[in-house]
Amino acid sequence: MAKFDDKATYQSHYLGLAWEFLNPLIQIGIYYLVFGVALRRGDPMPGVPYLPWMVIGITPWLYMSKTVLDASKSVYQQVNLASKMKFPVSILPSIKIVGNLASFWTMLAFSIFLMLVNHMYPTISWIQFIYYFICMIVLLYALGIFNSTVTVLVRDWQITLQSILRMLFYMSGVLFNFATSNFPVVLIRILELNPFYYVINGMRESMLSKGWVWQEPNLTITIVFWMFVFIVMTVGTFLHNKFRANFVDLI
């Protein structure tokens, strides 16, 4: 279903599924010219050039932000499936999660290419990437169940979610390294509680061999992250099960 959904989305475009990869590359080029060239203030990490550092972080962000928005509309857009047959509505958000993975893997390969060009090679810490990838998928499914249900109940939530993601883009460490910024320590610690930051920073540290998940402050942030996921998953599942039978009538 995820594969069919991708083809249906781009079937009227001349370049078809190529836009899944061209859009992220164009955005990366723009952000690099603005923040990596025009506004550059030194490397974000010692010995790590800005471009590979940024691409490693923006790869999960582009995937997560697009998937969050797509998953939030999944039930509203596909409610006909539930009205015409006995269909497990709860899997609709996961279709978007799987469908957007193609562009994520492509961007990840591009990130690794940039690292190799800049003489940054694989280390044992790369194995942590598997853990953070699982964190990302679980977070997206929890948000997908919650947002897709709330979107059916409150149509304004979709627009609100877009605004929230625009704000989180600058609060998730995608373009700036909080650790080397001039922000107060208290503000940095608050920003680090952002679950999107946890995934982005974790993948960065894994790929750049800059830290381990059990080290502070990662350990504290890990506990906060899983508490957030558990709460969102619990609330989202409760709302989904409560209103699932009424989705067709509500829409």
Side-chain angles (χ1 to χ4, degrees), residues 212-227:
W212 295 92
V213 66
W214 56 79
Q215 295 176 335
E216 289 291 352
N218 290 343
L219 182 59
T220 301
I221 302 174
T222 298
I223 297 174
V224 174
F225 172 83
W226 285 110
M227 288 178 60

Side-chain angles (χ1 to χ4, degrees), residues 183-221:
F183 295 160
V185 177
V186 175
L187 178 59
I188 294 175
R189 292 294 174 262
I190 294 175
L191 292 173
E192 288 176 345
L193 299 179
N194 176 359
F196 291 95
Y197 171 83
Y198 177 76
V199 173
I200 293 170
N201 186 65
M203 288 186 172
R204 268 201 185 118
E205 291 190 342
S206 300
M207 302 295 288
L208 299 175
S209 306
K210 297 296 182 180
W212 295 92
V213 66
W214 56 79
Q215 295 176 335
E216 289 291 352
N218 290 343
L219 182 59
T220 301
I221 302 174

Side-chain angles (χ1 to χ4, degrees), residues 96-219:
K96 300 298 183 180
I97 294 173
V98 175
N100 292 333
L101 274 176
S103 60
F104 173 78
W105 294 126
T106 302
M107 294 305 302
L108 180 62
F110 180 61
S111 303
I112 296 174
F113 170 76
L114 288 177
M115 291 179 61
L116 296 177
V117 169
N118 287 273
H119 309 290
M120 291 179 282
Y121 303 106
T123 65
I124 188 64
S125 68
W126 280 34
I127 197 172
Q128 288 185 129
F129 183 87
I130 300 174
Y131 163 75
Y132 286 108
F133 178 79
I134 295 173
C135 291
M136 180 175 67
I137 298 301
V138 175
L139 172 65
L140 290 176
Y141 186 74
L143 291 173
I145 285 291
F146 176 81
N147 290 326
S148 62
T149 303
V150 176
T151 298
V152 173
L153 302 176
V154 183
R155 291 296 299 139
D156 292 349
W157 180 244
Q158 180 66 33
I159 301 175
T160 304
L161 191 60
Q162 294 177 7
S163 300
I164 292 174
L165 287 173
R166 291 192 191 101
M167 178 181 64
L168 286 176
F169 175 69
Y170 297 98
M171 298 175 60
S172 300
V174 178
L175 302 175
F176 311 101
N177 188 354
F178 298 147
T180 58
S181 66
N182 295 323
F183 295 160
V185 177
V186 175
L187 178 59
I188 294 175
R189 292 294 174 262
I190 294 175
L191 292 173
E192 288 176 345
L193 299 179
N194 176 359
F196 291 95
Y197 171 83
Y198 177 76
V199 173
I200 293 170
N201 186 65
M203 288 186 172
R204 268 201 185 118
E205 291 190 342
S206 300
M207 302 295 288
L208 299 175
S209 306
K210 297 296 182 180
W212 295 92
V213 66
W214 56 79
Q215 295 176 335
E216 289 291 352
N218 290 343
L219 182 59

